[in-house]
Amino acid sequence: MTNRASDLPSNHSDILIAGAGIAGLATALALARTGRAVTVLEKRAESSEEGAGIQIGPNGMRILQALGVTSFLKGKIACPECIRVMDGLSGKHLTSLPLGRDIAARHGAPYGVLHRGDLHGALRTAVASMPAVTIRHEANVIAARSSSESVTVELAGGAKMQGALLIGADGIWSTLRSTVMGAPPLTFTGKCAIRTVIANDAVPPGISTTDTTIWLRPAAHVVHYPVRAGRELAIVAIFDDRALGETWSQLVEPALISDRTRSFPTVLRTLLQQPAQWRQWSLYTPEAPFRWIEKRVVLLGDAAHPPLPFLAQGGVMALEDAIILAELLRTVATTDMPARLQDFERIRRPRTTRVMEASARNGRAYHLDGLMRRARNAVLAATPAHLFMRQYDWLYGWTVEDALTSARTPV
């Protein structure tokens, strides 16, 4: 059910969620499937998810399967057979890391790639089938006050709502992170990401349209992979750049991309000259840990732990958050919810911290120069691919059951 902010009474006892992106919708769906009533508060007038591609490892695909979302992704998702790693200076192929049937057999689910808008649409469709979920548009959460019994939310324009909990799924530029948790602003990394999607018939020869490919260069890298079930190619390039602030979709002139890629290998440069439109955003990261919980308010997804995009796990961490929080709250009385929020942070913080640290390490390794670059390339070329992938068993092999059992948390 979808409503405008003015269409509903101002007082509810539902669980409230700020944000109708991937994190918010996945959490609403997970909670509704356990019998909870949920109201999602979205500041935009319409549901949409900007962006290009998104990669979902087996740990995320298992959650989408459990939530009944994958049935809405038929004809929209691709499963690459490998990650092709290329030297972005010489154009030399360094290694191919197995995905496809290999990773599905190892971890019980495939490695999927798709358009972010298709994932968001599938989540919206799944949520629409749940009568327990209401989405309120033009409902911008600007403040919240929590007590031992409930939480009161203030919306832009002065309306107020009351709920049993408030879940902050309002993204990397979370209002709740600053206003409720008092966290400092994120720190600019000195890098930007530039993204686009092009049709396969515009892809030049020599570029794979079926696998994920990463090109490693000093101070830059490029990733591309199929979306829309292989009909299109998503491209993301990372460069050093100035800060753009909170924008997610600053338009970039194709001529700027051409200037920046003059020394790239010919086949890659030719690819990057094809798109007519690019969009850019700046990469930010927390300078220090901050709290996720204030009584009956909890942050999750990018609002709580925004990783750099060098491990392709930002969206997946939001899915993990959603399913863990729903399981912790499955049979809990309203009076006991704050204690379960503490359990949520205790379970999730070590995991998400490890992912954030691994993402940052990958970013440094991708952009090496000189002797360190040559050493990295030698290691990639010499290491058997299946052994290299074992180092990510901790990441892709994660399950809800293991997470709850290892934390010794009853559900």
Side-chain angles (χ1 to χ4, degrees), residues 1-9 12 17-22 24-25 38-49 120-121 123-125 127-128 133-141 155-157 159 161:
M1 182 184 297
T2 302
N3 297 274
R4 301 297 177 189
S6 58
D7 293 338
L8 293 174
H12 282 271
I17 299 176
I22 290 171
L25 291 179
V38 183
T39 297
V40 181
L41 306 173
E42 170 53 50
K43 65 182 179 181
R44 294 173 294 185
E46 301 293 340
S47 291
S48 65
E49 185 68 19
H120 194 256
L123 287 166
R124 287 202 310 271
T125 301
V127 165
V133 179
T134 299
I135 300 178
R136 294 181 62 172
H137 289 281
E138 298 178 338
N140 185 11
V141 177
L155 306 179
M161 293 187 66

Side-chain angles (χ1 to χ4, degrees), residues 27-42:
T27 304
L29 182 59
L31 287 167
R33 288 171 67 91
T34 68
R36 296 289 182 185
V38 183
T39 297
V40 181
L41 306 173
E42 170 53 50

Side-chain angles (χ1 to χ4, degrees), residues 83 109 159 197 315 335 354 408:
I83 300 174
V197 175
T335 53
R354 187 177 183 184
R408 298 180 180 175

Side-chain angles (χ1 to χ4, degrees), residues 200-225:
N200 273 358
D201 58 12
V203 177
I207 293 292
S208 172
T209 58
T210 57
D211 296 318
T212 293
T213 304
I214 181 167
W215 302 75
L216 309 179
R217 288 180 57 87
H221 75 275
V222 177
V223 181
H224 52 80
Y225 50 87

Side-chain angles (χ1 to χ4, degrees), residues 136-164:
R136 294 181 62 172
H137 289 281
E138 298 178 338
N140 185 11
V141 177
I142 59 173
R145 186 179 70 256
S146 190
S147 70
S148 58
E149 293 82 23
S150 65
V151 61
T152 301
V153 169
E154 181 180 350
L155 306 179
K160 294 184 178 180
M161 293 187 66
Q162 192 174 73

